[in-house]
Amino acid sequence: GFKKRKVKIICCGLDNSGKSTIINKLNPKKIDKPVDPTVGFSVEEFEKNQIQMTVFDMSGQGRYRYMWECFYQKLDGIIFVIDSTDDQRLCVARDELYAILRHKDVESTPILILANKQDLDNAISPADLTTALHLYALNAREWNLVATDALKGTGIEDGIRWLSDSVV
Ligand code: GTP
């Protein structure tokens, strides 16, 4: 198909899941440095796989999550980041994920779920996350779950390549 030159992507997930770290890894202009919690949202623009990407890095803190849906119009793709070590809040992450999936503005938007922090010993495996999040029940939507270590950058390129290919 015809690939869009400009795509609009939103990056969501609970606070501390690693969204800003992941987006900084993708943006060649950013140097490696620790990130602060995002307040509200920040916008990053960069080119990847010959595609001009505009990525909205949304704050994951509870008091800002209502803002996510303000960005659902004309979205090409969604990245949902999960802290794979945060088993205590996995059900909160699942609720937020399904709030997105149920929203009519993004009912057919491809979604890339990143099982982040896989470098840590207590990380839940990608297979177990897939089961816990009931992803196999998502019939009518393009989805993929990719394991990442955002500190090293492992998996991020693979995930973004899948999302770029899905955005046609
Ligand atoms: P908010 O802006 O509050 O929504 O958080 P965020 O999702 O943008 O998370 P952020 O990128 O700020 O990362 C939170 C913390 O997790 C930071 O201390 C990161 O260094 C750390 N972190 C992110 N990704 C990984 C990872 O893959 N492995 C490990 N070990 N730590 C990570």
Side-chain angles (χ1 to χ4, degrees):
F2 171 71
K3 198 169 267 175
K4 286 184 188 174
R5 301 228 164 272
K6 285 191 169 177
V7 302
K8 200 172 126 187
I9 289 169
I10 192 172
C11 185
C12 305
L14 300 188
D15 48 295
N16 200 49
S17 55
K19 300 178 292 297
S20 301
T21 309
I22 286 167
I23 290 165
N24 286 355
K25 267 281 184 302
L26 284 169
N27 189 344
K29 284 176 289 201
K30 287 276 166 102
I31 42 163
D32 273 312
K33 63 170 193 309
V35 292
D36 295 323
T38 304
V39 175
F41 68 94
S42 71
V43 187
E44 302 284 341
E45 301 212 30
F46 50 89
E47 197 178 304
K48 199 90 211 168
N49 308 339
Q50 275 91 51
I51 299 175
Q52 183 66 35
M53 297 208 173
T54 304
V55 180
F56 296 92
D57 176 10
M58 304 304 297
S59 172
Q61 292 175 52
R63 66 178 176 280
Y64 296 119
R65 279 180 219 150
Y66 75 94
M67 292 178 76
W68 295 359
E69 69 173 341
C70 304
F71 294 83
Y72 289 174
Q73 299 274 322
K74 302 204 174 74
L75 264 191
D76 300 296
I78 302 166
I79 301 173
F80 191 89
V81 183
I82 293 177
D83 176 348
S84 308
T85 69
D86 192 359
D87 59 334
Q88 291 226 329
R89 292 199 301 167
L90 187 55
C91 49
V92 183
R94 188 177 68 196
D95 287 349
E96 296 291 358
L97 172 65
Y98 275 82
I100 297 173
L101 295 173
R102 276 195 303 268
H103 200 288
K104 65 170 175 34
D105 291 348
V106 291
E107 63 190 357
S108 55
T109 310
I111 185 161
L112 169 68
I113 296 150
L114 296 181
N116 195 36
K117 306 199 185 183
Q118 286 292 325
D119 54 301
L120 297 174
D121 285 340
N122 55 335
I124 306 167
S125 74
D128 286 348
L129 276 174
T130 302
T131 306
L133 297 170
H134 308 306
L135 296 181
Y136 291 121
L138 296 179
N139 297 318
R141 174 184 313 259
E142 285 191 85
W143 66 271
N144 195 1
L145 183 139
V146 174
T148 56
D149 164 1
L151 296 186
K152 284 206 194 71
T154 321
I156 298 177
E157 294 281 337
D158 289 343
I160 289 299
R161 194 168 309 114
W162 175 84
L163 194 60
S164 310
D165 289 344
S166 304
V167 175
V168 288

